[in-house]
Each structure stands twice: as C-alpha cells, then as structure tokens.
Amino acid sequence: MTQPRQLPPAPVPHVRKRSPIPWVIFAVLVVVAGIVLVPKLLDDGNADNGPQPVAAAEQDPLLVAVQKCDPAKNGMRLSDSNRKLTVKGVGDKSPDGLSASAMTCVFDTLQVPGALADRMYGTVEADGRLQGDWPGYSVSWTNDQNEGLNLTVTRN
C-alpha cells in the first residue's frame, strides 16, 4: 500500500526580532526624569537649600544698628566692608551725634553686655582710649564730656 503523500509543512512566516535598545533607552529616560523631577515636585520650599546669601539670611547687626538707631546718619558710619562701625555721641561742645537714647538703641541692637556699656559710660577723659569685647565683636572707645562717647565697633 501506498501511503498518502504528505504535503510539505507550510512555511512559517519570518518574524523579525525586535531590538531591545529602544526599550532600554526609554527606561533610562524614565529613571532620569524621576530622579530630576520627583525631588522638585516634593520640595515644599521650606527645606534648607544650603548657605543663603547675606540678604536672605539674618541681617548684619551693624547695618541694622545704623538703619534702626541713626536713620538721619548723624553719628554713625560703616566702613571696612561693613565690618567696622564708628559711633559718635553727643557732647557739650559736639551737639552733632547720637543722643543717649540712640546710643542705648545701638547697645541693645548689638547686644553689648550691660557691664561693658556701664564701663563705657563710666569712662572719663583721663582714662584715654579703652578697649573691650563680647562674642563676635571688639570695641574701643573714649568718653569725654565735651566730645561725648565715641566708639569703634569691629566685627571679628
């Protein structure tokens, strides 16, 4: 007996193999976008972003003292890149300068210790120029009845 003839198998259509490279590139882009964008989306703006510029940080106490205690600029002068403050007080023969209340404003703003302020006010002409310091600052001063209390504060 003869066997029936079998037809040759039908040719399998050729399926082209796709390259995984586009999917790898897509995955890398998604990861990079997630790394860059997620922190920005979650940042509430209150996080510490490192050192702040001086304008954004706490204001300079020497500058604040000038603005607050001597708005007319009669008896205070900043120099040396705002590291040195020269203060001229009112005296008998020198009416142009800071009054006692303005001088108290300066001491309060710069947080001068009470004992040091008392020592400045208690100085007489014969004592000459004296010096003192407190954390972050040093000061030299003279106190003359005619010229008033004159001091130079330097930020360390």
Side-chain angles (χ1 to χ4, degrees), residues 119-141:
R119 187 171 160 216
M120 288 184 210
Y121 283 123
T123 302
V124 294
E125 183 179 2
D127 293 336
R129 181 165 286 278
L130 298 178
Q131 296 179 343
D133 56 35
W134 69 100
Y137 299 94
S138 60
V139 63
S140 64
W141 74 91

Side-chain angles (χ1 to χ4, degrees), residues 57-77:
E58 186 178 313
Q59 279 194 318
D60 178 16
L62 296 178
L63 183 59
V64 170
V66 171
Q67 294 169 342
K68 180 179 172 184
C69 306
D70 189 22
K73 311 279 189 278
N74 289 333
M76 297 174 74
R77 183 174 52 92

Side-chain angles (χ1 to χ4, degrees), residues 88-144:
K88 183 177 180 332
V90 171
D92 291 344
K93 293 184 178 178
S94 179
D96 56 331
L98 296 185
S99 64
S101 63
M103 195 67 78
T104 300
C105 173
V106 172
F107 289 164
D108 290 344
T109 303
L110 298 179
Q111 299 177 345
V112 177
L116 183 57
D118 291 343
R119 187 171 160 216
M120 288 184 210
Y121 283 123
T123 302
V124 294
E125 183 179 2
D127 293 336
R129 181 165 286 278
L130 298 178
Q131 296 179 343
D133 56 35
W134 69 100
Y137 299 94
S138 60
V139 63
S140 64
W141 74 91
T142 60
N143 192 1
D144 180 324

